[in-house]
PDB file of all heavy atoms in Angstrom:
ATOM      1  N   VAL A 172      -0.915   0.511   5.668  1.00  0.00           N
ATOM      2  CA  VAL A 172      -1.542  -0.767   5.502  1.00  0.00           C
ATOM      3  C   VAL A 172      -0.948  -1.329   4.175  1.00  0.00           C
ATOM      4  O   VAL A 172      -0.706  -0.693   3.162  1.00  0.00           O
ATOM      5  CB  VAL A 172      -3.114  -0.643   5.226  1.00  0.00           C
ATOM      6  CG1 VAL A 172      -3.636  -1.963   4.928  1.00  0.00           C
ATOM      7  CG2 VAL A 172      -3.635  -0.050   6.553  1.00  0.00           C
ATOM      8  N   GLU A 173      -0.563  -2.646   4.367  1.00  0.00           N
ATOM      9  CA  GLU A 173      -0.098  -3.391   3.099  1.00  0.00           C
ATOM     10  C   GLU A 173      -1.121  -4.412   2.883  1.00  0.00           C
ATOM     11  O   GLU A 173      -1.604  -5.197   3.755  1.00  0.00           O
ATOM     12  CB  GLU A 173       1.375  -4.031   3.541  1.00  0.00           C
ATOM     13  CG  GLU A 173       2.459  -3.064   3.345  1.00  0.00           C
ATOM     14  CD  GLU A 173       3.855  -3.713   3.591  1.00  0.00           C
ATOM     15  OE1 GLU A 173       3.830  -4.843   3.962  1.00  0.00           O
ATOM     16  OE2 GLU A 173       4.787  -3.136   3.194  1.00  0.00           O
ATOM     17  N   THR A 174      -1.339  -4.660   1.544  1.00  0.00           N
ATOM     18  CA  THR A 174      -2.153  -5.753   1.068  1.00  0.00           C
ATOM     19  C   THR A 174      -1.300  -6.576   0.283  1.00  0.00           C
ATOM     20  O   THR A 174      -0.747  -6.194  -0.742  1.00  0.00           O
ATOM     21  CB  THR A 174      -3.401  -5.257   0.435  1.00  0.00           C
ATOM     22  OG1 THR A 174      -4.162  -4.315   1.172  1.00  0.00           O
ATOM     23  CG2 THR A 174      -4.379  -6.379  -0.100  1.00  0.00           C
ATOM     24  N   LEU A 175      -1.233  -7.971   0.559  1.00  0.00           N
ATOM     25  CA  LEU A 175      -0.446  -8.859  -0.252  1.00  0.00           C
ATOM     26  C   LEU A 175      -1.372  -9.873  -0.966  1.00  0.00           C
ATOM     27  O   LEU A 175      -2.392 -10.264  -0.456  1.00  0.00           O
ATOM     28  CB  LEU A 175       0.443  -9.700   0.623  1.00  0.00           C
ATOM     29  CG  LEU A 175       1.619  -9.047   1.285  1.00  0.00           C
ATOM     30  CD1 LEU A 175       1.265  -7.992   2.385  1.00  0.00           C
ATOM     31  CD2 LEU A 175       2.591 -10.005   1.838  1.00  0.00           C
ATOM     32  N   SER A 176      -0.872 -10.192  -2.238  1.00  0.00           N
ATOM     33  CA  SER A 176      -1.710 -11.114  -2.973  1.00  0.00           C
ATOM     34  C   SER A 176      -0.668 -11.836  -3.929  1.00  0.00           C
ATOM     35  O   SER A 176       0.256 -11.241  -4.260  1.00  0.00           O
ATOM     36  CB  SER A 176      -2.803 -10.572  -3.817  1.00  0.00           C
ATOM     37  OG  SER A 176      -2.340  -9.553  -4.706  1.00  0.00           O
ATOM     38  N   ALA A 177      -1.007 -13.026  -4.278  1.00  0.00           N
ATOM     39  CA  ALA A 177      -0.136 -13.875  -5.228  1.00  0.00           C
ATOM     40  C   ALA A 177      -0.746 -13.763  -6.608  1.00  0.00           C
ATOM     41  O   ALA A 177      -2.040 -13.628  -6.846  1.00  0.00           O
ATOM     42  CB  ALA A 177      -0.093 -15.270  -4.725  1.00  0.00           C
ATOM     43  N   GLY A 178       0.164 -13.783  -7.634  1.00  0.00           N
ATOM     44  CA  GLY A 178      -0.262 -13.718  -8.947  1.00  0.00           C
ATOM     45  C   GLY A 178       0.849 -13.938  -9.923  1.00  0.00           C
ATOM     46  O   GLY A 178       1.784 -14.598  -9.550  1.00  0.00           O
ATOM     47  N   PHE A 179       0.715 -13.424 -11.177  1.00  0.00           N
ATOM     48  CA  PHE A 179       1.674 -13.580 -12.255  1.00  0.00           C
ATOM     49  C   PHE A 179       2.093 -12.295 -12.793  1.00  0.00           C
ATOM     50  O   PHE A 179       1.232 -11.370 -12.883  1.00  0.00           O
ATOM     51  CB  PHE A 179       1.187 -14.547 -13.328  1.00  0.00           C
ATOM     52  CG  PHE A 179       0.736 -15.838 -12.870  1.00  0.00           C
ATOM     53  CD1 PHE A 179      -0.640 -16.027 -12.558  1.00  0.00           C
ATOM     54  CD2 PHE A 179       1.589 -16.946 -12.728  1.00  0.00           C
ATOM     55  CE1 PHE A 179      -1.068 -17.368 -12.190  1.00  0.00           C
ATOM     56  CE2 PHE A 179       1.173 -18.110 -12.285  1.00  0.00           C
ATOM     57  CZ  PHE A 179      -0.149 -18.387 -11.989  1.00  0.00           C
ATOM     58  N   ILE A 180       3.317 -12.189 -13.216  1.00  0.00           N
ATOM     59  CA  ILE A 180       3.768 -10.903 -13.870  1.00  0.00           C
ATOM     60  C   ILE A 180       3.402 -10.964 -15.292  1.00  0.00           C
ATOM     61  O   ILE A 180       3.550 -12.048 -15.993  1.00  0.00           O
ATOM     62  CB  ILE A 180       5.234 -10.591 -13.448  1.00  0.00           C
ATOM     63  CG1 ILE A 180       6.106 -11.750 -14.150  1.00  0.00           C
ATOM     64  CG2 ILE A 180       5.440 -10.355 -12.092  1.00  0.00           C
ATOM     65  CD1 ILE A 180       7.707 -11.479 -13.964  1.00  0.00           C
ATOM     66  N   LEU A 181       3.233  -9.772 -15.981  1.00  0.00           N
ATOM     67  CA  LEU A 181       3.020  -9.714 -17.280  1.00  0.00           C
ATOM     68  C   LEU A 181       4.310  -9.356 -18.057  1.00  0.00           C
ATOM     69  O   LEU A 181       5.376  -9.189 -17.492  1.00  0.00           O
ATOM     70  CB  LEU A 181       1.912  -8.643 -17.529  1.00  0.00           C
ATOM     71  CG  LEU A 181       0.561  -8.891 -16.989  1.00  0.00           C
ATOM     72  CD1 LEU A 181      -0.460  -7.824 -17.270  1.00  0.00           C
ATOM     73  CD2 LEU A 181       0.001 -10.212 -17.422  1.00  0.00           C
ATOM     74  N   LEU A 182       4.142  -9.221 -19.369  1.00  0.00           N
ATOM     75  CA  LEU A 182       5.341  -9.128 -20.260  1.00  0.00           C
ATOM     76  C   LEU A 182       6.210  -7.928 -19.976  1.00  0.00           C
ATOM     77  O   LEU A 182       7.467  -8.085 -19.925  1.00  0.00           O
ATOM     78  CB  LEU A 182       4.956  -9.025 -21.763  1.00  0.00           C
ATOM     79  CG  LEU A 182       6.065  -9.242 -22.847  1.00  0.00           C
ATOM     80  CD1 LEU A 182       6.800 -10.530 -22.613  1.00  0.00           C
ATOM     81  CD2 LEU A 182       5.463  -9.090 -24.209  1.00  0.00           C
ATOM     82  N   ASP A 183       5.604  -6.789 -19.600  1.00  0.00           N
ATOM     83  CA  ASP A 183       6.295  -5.566 -19.397  1.00  0.00           C
ATOM     84  C   ASP A 183       7.184  -5.694 -18.142  1.00  0.00           C
ATOM     85  O   ASP A 183       8.359  -5.423 -18.092  1.00  0.00           O
ATOM     86  CB  ASP A 183       5.353  -4.345 -19.175  1.00  0.00           C
ATOM     87  CG  ASP A 183       6.147  -3.038 -18.979  1.00  0.00           C
ATOM     88  OD1 ASP A 183       6.828  -2.603 -19.864  1.00  0.00           O
ATOM     89  OD2 ASP A 183       5.918  -2.515 -17.884  1.00  0.00           O
ATOM     90  N   THR A 184       6.596  -6.143 -17.043  1.00  0.00           N
ATOM     91  CA  THR A 184       7.228  -6.353 -15.794  1.00  0.00           C
ATOM     92  C   THR A 184       8.334  -7.486 -15.881  1.00  0.00           C
ATOM     93  O   THR A 184       9.431  -7.344 -15.410  1.00  0.00           O
ATOM     94  CB  THR A 184       6.254  -6.772 -14.589  1.00  0.00           C
ATOM     95  OG1 THR A 184       5.296  -5.659 -14.489  1.00  0.00           O
ATOM     96  CG2 THR A 184       7.057  -6.999 -13.322  1.00  0.00           C
TER      97      THR A 184
END
Side-chain angles (χ1 to χ4, degrees):
V172 174
E173 282 186 348
T174 305
L175 286 74
S176 59
F179 303 95
I180 58 174
L181 300 180
L182 189 60
D183 180 63
T184 298

